[in-house]
Amino acid sequence: MSSVAYAGRSLELSLGESVLDGLLRSGIPVAHACKAGSCGSCMLRAVGGCVPPRAQVGLKDSWKAQGYFLSCVCVPEADMEVSEAGADTRVTARIMAVDHLSHDVLRVRLQPERNFDYRAGQYLTLIRDTGLARSYSIASLPHESELELHVRLIPGGRMSTWLCEPASVGAQVQLQGPTGECFYVPDREDQPLLLAGTGTGLAPLWGIIQDALRRNHRGPIHLFHGALRMEGLYLREALRALAARYANFTYTAAVLEGTEEPGIFIAPIDAVIASSHPKLNGWRGFICGDPTLVRSLKRKLFLAGIAMGDIYSDAFLPSA
Ligand SMILES: Cc1cc2nc3c(=O)[nH]c(=O)nc-3n(C[C@H](O)[C@H](O)[C@H](O)COP(=O)(O)OP(=O)(O)OC[C@H]3O[C@@H](n4cnc5c(N)ncnc54)[C@H](O)[C@@H]3O)c2cc1C
């Protein structure tokens, strides 16, 4: 069994217990959300002892070098001394505006106090003054002055319902990140790109598409956006306008309930992709949103011919 020292306190971890669970059990508040090593909100810094490699998977090299690690998946083999994530991983920001993109999707605009360097499609962790932390994909482009998030309003959801309250506008929050490898790299400009997501899975894809078009990507770019019903297909007009402007961009939507319209299918999104694109050899794929869909589509795109190394994804895991 190993022990963890934190802010002058020391605690024994139970067998197989993570640093996060040990700290929470001892009444020490640590921001966290997915508890699956994915969202990054529980990041701490090791100031003594050895970090198990699994606890640093997906972190930036500069963060790894400074001892940062994900406490939810850190089960140490020896004693560790840890501290809070430092100011170098967080930026203070102000919520400038919140408006509705659809009945249950909020657009949240944030103004960071200093430069927040990111790639379109990466995600950040939004941390409230209460310590509540949730991850959101970034829908804006790095040159824009404000950051834009698309947040699904979940009944009873602690972060999303707070963001929907008028009082959240003007509030100060902390941003941690950016994290993730779901972004456009302009190395093969003629490669066809397939992007698929449901609900707010569109947020990172919206950023990636605009980034690729701005960088003059020449190959076809095909977006598939799925929702339960028509009203869930937010940004429809903006996406249609983009398709009218760029000959290499195609937008296809799919809903499970409703009446068929041009460009909108009544079918599961994966069935629509399979029938329109049975062979995808040489394509690059981006999949974001619902974790079950991300997992199954990843497999289907691979079986249709996309190399695993050419599939980028972000599963929106809910808080644990
Ligand atoms: C890498 C990453 C990127 C993400 N990007 C986005 C994004 O761009 N936009 C976005 O809206 N969300 C995104 N999420 C999900 C987001 O972090 C929160 O989990 C979500 O907003 C719910 O937070 P909440 O505090 O409102 O609800 P919570 O208080 O965490 O949850 C309230 C209840 O709702 C349930 N619940 C939580 N999420 C869902 C869900 N999706 N469907 C059904 N029930 C749910 C919970 O299990 C709980 O019972 C992302 C998550 C990850 C890990």
Side-chain angles (χ1 to χ4, degrees):
M1 269 195 311
S2 41
S3 70
V4 175
Y6 178 93
R9 290 177 61 180
S10 178
L11 61 114
E12 290 289 321
L13 293 179
S14 321
L15 195 64
E17 190 175 39
S18 69
V19 170
L20 175 67
D21 283 339
L23 292 172
L24 294 176
R25 177 170 54 76
S26 310
I28 298 170
V30 180
H32 62 280
C34 77
K35 280 189 149 185
S38 176
C39 73
S41 58
C42 66
M43 195 164 76
L44 294 177
R45 187 177 190 169
V47 288
C50 217
V51 181
R54 180 173 174 233
Q56 290 188 313
V57 172
L59 295 187
K60 288 193 251 195
D61 288 342
S62 59
W63 287 359
K64 286 183 193 171
Q66 293 174 80
Y68 286 110
F69 67 97
L70 301 174
S71 61
C72 70
V73 287
C74 181
V75 180
E77 286 167 11
D79 297 348
M80 283 182 84
E81 185 179 349
V82 307
S83 70
E84 272 189 343
D88 49 342
T89 65
R90 292 187 182 181
V91 173
T92 302
R94 190 171 292 285
I95 299 181
M96 304 304 287
V98 178
D99 58 315
H100 277 265
L101 285 169
S102 76
H103 67 293
D104 71 347
V105 177
L106 305 172
R107 174 168 43 203
V108 178
R109 294 185 196 276
L110 299 152
Q111 179 73 65
E113 262 183 10
R114 58 181 167 83
N115 186 34
F116 186 80
D117 210 7
Y118 66 95
R119 306 289 297 263
Q122 286 190 295
Y123 61 91
L124 52 78
T125 300
L126 180 74
I127 306 168
R128 270 190 70 186
D129 55 351
T130 58
L132 182 71
R134 295 287 182 263
S135 299
Y136 293 105
S137 296
I138 310 170
S140 46
L141 295 170
H143 69 270
E144 292 171 342
S145 64
E146 290 179 353
L147 290 161
E148 178 176 317
L149 313 177
H150 300 168
V151 178
R152 181 175 154 211
L153 187 52
I154 291 174
R158 282 174 292 162
M159 185 66 91
S160 54
T161 52
W162 174 71
L163 286 168
C164 198
E165 286 167 14
S168 71
V169 177
Q172 249 192 15
V173 289
Q174 297 290 310
L175 308 180
Q176 182 174 290
T179 318
E181 287 171 6
C182 202
F183 54 80
Y184 175 74
V185 178
D187 57 348
R188 290 162 285 168
E189 285 97 344
D190 292 311
Q191 187 179 31
L193 310 181
L194 186 149
L195 303 97
T198 51
T200 48
L202 180 60
L205 305 181
W206 172 243
I208 293 166
I209 291 163
Q210 293 186 86
D211 193 25
L213 291 171
R214 279 174 52 86
R215 291 171 192 264
N216 299 320
H217 187 85
R218 291 187 296 263
I221 304 176
H222 201 142
L223 167 71
F224 292 86
H225 185 213
L228 183 58
R229 283 184 284 273
M230 228 46 113
E231 60 262 33
L233 295 176
Y234 70 96
L235 289 183
R236 211 176 339 159
E237 291 318 313
L239 286 162
R240 283 179 172 158
L242 210 59
R245 183 166 165 211
Y246 292 93
N248 62 334
F249 173 62
T250 312
Y251 163 56
T252 302
V255 290
L256 295 178
E257 297 167 12
T259 329
E260 205 151 278
E261 287 183 23
I264 304 182
F265 293 87
I266 312 297
I269 187 176
D270 46 354
V272 175
I273 295 172
S275 67
S276 65
H277 291 76
K279 293 262 174 286
L280 289 166
N281 304 68
W283 284 63
R284 198 183 321 176
F286 297 89
I287 321 163
C288 297
D290 176 68
T292 312
L293 179 87
V294 167
R295 206 171 35 243
S296 86
L297 251 186
K298 223 169 149 173
R299 193 170 163 272
K300 287 176 183 168
L301 296 191
F302 172 69
L303 293 175
I306 307 193
M308 214 26 123
D310 264 341
I311 303 179
Y312 300 88
S313 64
D314 271 332
F316 291 4
L317 294 178
S319 58

